[in-house]
Amino acid sequence: MAWYVFAIVDRPPAERPGRGLAGALAARQVPGGFAIVERRADVPPVELGALKQHDAVLTRVAEAVPAILPVRFGTLLELEEIEAALDEREEELAEAFDRVRDRVQFTWRRPGSDVRSPASTARPASGKEYLRRVAHAAKPPPAAFRSIRETLRPLVAAERYQRATPSIPDSLYHLVGRDGAARYRLAARKLASADPAVRVTGPFPPFAFAPDLL
Amino acid sequence: MTRPRRSGSPLLPAIAKPSTVTAKTSHTTVPKGALDAIAKPPLPARRPPQPPKPVLPPKRKVARIVGDDESSLLDLIDNLLAKGVMLNADLILALANVDLVYVRLSALLCAADRVLGPGALRGRGPV
């Protein structure tokens, strides 16, 4: 049976990590860290119940370790494959751990933001159109996020902006230290109540700041 | 001598005599103001029907969103599926109950820009 991978962590949890989707979780040592895994024969179905369970496991593990890098949903590998994927990437892993250590993610969204039409995802017809799309995609966060960014800057360790897609609205991700999360939350409440066009959720494990590892 | 035809009752024949009934008058033996003491209080003026009050979001909505243990569906999808989904499958081609070919499929379903990144896409586009 293969291992279903939830995350790579810098240290194994002090206590037993508990249950995963169906069986017990384990922390297996891999190059650069520890993989939080569960024995499974198949990939869980992409349905709401499995997603919620997966999310709950990650949240629980994230609270028990200093740094966590969530892995793509549905990652089912043999231990040798995990080791091969992470081999000689210790530096990359260490940098990623340093970035997210003792930090949590908050997510700002602006529903109703401009979404690229499905037609624009087709292959560009000309170089001009391609460059226009690249420039459009590389735009900085919109003005609606300006006051949020300026007000919360002292509390934010890292920031990432994701333009709206057909499924996800404009999103701004903030990485915030655990010790500053309460202050961030207070400030975020004020900002969100002053501007009904934006919404904030969190804290989450640092999903938006984890590199693609496996 | 002919009487003038009254315009108010065109159906009456012209020869009908005018009514002797006097105009309606009020007549009572109860002294004025005697009923006021036992009279019911006047009903309040009826208000026009008000439209149903809109259901306002709870005041703690923002706080609830921020502090909620259970993330929204959008967050769930964004956090877990934004980087795509790994699909694994085992395929065995058999003939007459004899396994001939074993194929292990491992596929990643994901939007190209989430995997390749803007730099990689930039290098692939037409110039």
Side-chain angles (χ1 to χ4, degrees), chain B residues 23-70:
Chain B
K24 192 177 178 183
T25 57
S26 66
H27 177 76
T28 178
T29 55
V30 180
K32 218 176 185 183
L35 290 175
D36 289 353
I38 57 169
K40 289 180 180 175
L43 291 171
R46 274 197 176 182
R47 288 181 188 172
Q50 299 284 325
K53 284 186 179 178
V55 180
L56 294 172
K59 285 181 180 175
R60 289 182 64 250
K61 190 171 184 183
V62 172
R64 189 167 54 77
I65 288 171
V66 175
D68 205 351
D69 290 338
E70 194 173 348

Side-chain angles (χ1 to χ4, degrees), chain A residues 40-103:
Chain A
R40 260 190 92 90
D42 56 356
V43 172
V46 186
E47 59 183 28
L48 186 59
L51 289 173
K52 278 188 169 182
Q53 262 189 300
H54 187 108
D55 187 58
V57 171
L58 282 175
T59 304
R60 200 178 66 235
V61 173
E63 287 167 0
V65 297
I68 183 169
L69 300 171
V71 166
R72 181 179 287 114
F73 182 87
T75 302
L76 186 75
L77 297 168
E78 298 292 343
L79 194 59
E80 300 78 44
E81 291 173 311
I82 303 171
E83 287 171 347
L86 298 177
D87 198 23
E88 297 182 3
R89 291 173 71 187
E90 283 91 345
E91 268 186 46
E92 184 191 344
L93 264 178
E95 277 177 29
F97 282 141
D98 286 344
R99 189 164 57 241
V100 302
R101 183 168 289 115
D102 292 322
R103 289 173 177 161

Side-chain angles (χ1 to χ4, degrees), chain A residues 43-44 46 72-74, chain B residues 80-81 83-87 107-110:
Chain A
V43 172
V46 186
R72 181 179 287 114
F73 182 87
Chain B
L80 297 184
L81 300 183
K83 289 180 180 173
V85 182
M86 291 280 286
L87 297 177
L108 170 62
L109 295 181
C110 185

